[in-house]
Amino acid sequence: LVEDDTMIGQAVLALLRREGYLVDWVQDGAQADTALHGHQYDLVLLDLGLPKLDGLQVLRQLRARKDATPVLVATARDAVEQRIAGLDAGADDYVLKPFDISELQARVRAVLRRAQGGQRGGGQARHLRGGELLSCVVVSAPTSVEVKAANWPVLIAAICADVSAPICVVVST
Ligand code: CA
């Protein structure tokens, strides 16, 4: 858990521990980077607005060293661009702040499930959100493919789990 807001951090930590997860909590990007160098986590819940090193930098550095640790980015409800930037930087999914507890729990479970599915080497596109997927090519590398679709409003993300690192296909205007 990477979250600089003490109240939110304590609440999410308590929630996740109550669910039975073993959780480390760090409060800035530099600590997150150090923790990610030192441990192999099953999931990172990553706030983007962080002191010292922002969440996107942490994520980019993680992916730059070919670390496929699943990452769930936490972004503000109205920050569509942040979510796109997070997905483009290699996030597996996002959660909206302020957190809806049930949604947070469900997304944590979903990302962990996809990661485990990926390790087994099976699976198909499982999540489509935000609209209709016009077309999508799933490849094993690179991990992110951007498709331009004229006049289609927002973001369609397909997280696929048929390779070890989840693939994100983003269709944007
Ligand atoms: Ca923050």
Side-chain angles (χ1 to χ4, degrees), residues 36-161:
L36 287 165
H37 270 97
H39 300 272
Q40 185 62 53
Y41 291 96
D42 294 323
L43 173 67
V44 184
L45 179 55
L46 179 66
D47 186 30
L48 291 185
L50 292 169
K52 296 188 182 170
L53 198 63
D54 74 35
L56 278 180
Q57 288 174 285
V58 173
L59 178 57
R60 289 197 183 108
Q61 288 181 12
L62 182 75
R63 295 304 185 231
R65 47 180 195 269
K66 309 283 181 222
D67 188 325
T69 300
V71 174
L72 200 48
V73 293
T75 74
R77 228 155 255 281
D78 55 358
V80 177
E81 282 167 15
Q82 269 199 346
R83 296 204 281 282
I84 294 172
L87 292 169
D88 278 346
D92 296 275
D93 201 354
Y94 59 82
V95 278
L96 301 178
K97 291 172 89 173
F99 293 120
D100 176 277
I101 288 174
S102 310
E103 185 185 18
L104 175 62
Q105 291 168 328
R107 289 204 193 273
V108 166
R109 286 195 298 269
V111 169
L112 289 172
R113 208 162 51 228
R114 282 202 296 273
Q116 284 155 8
Q119 280 157 15
R120 286 197 306 272
Q124 292 179 336
R126 293 178 193 183
H127 282 251
L128 289 178
R129 255 196 328 273
E132 182 187 1
L133 185 63
L134 300 180
S135 65
C136 141
V137 180
V138 178
V139 295
S140 58
T143 52
S144 144
V145 179
E146 194 177 343
V147 183
K148 300 284 181 193
N151 299 326
W152 280 82
V154 211
L155 158 80
I156 301 159
I159 309 289
C160 308

Side-chain angles (χ1 to χ4, degrees), residues 2-5 8 47-51 97:
V2 188
E3 171 61 68
D4 59 314
D5 183 296
I8 296 173
D47 186 30
L48 291 185
L50 292 169
K97 291 172 89 173

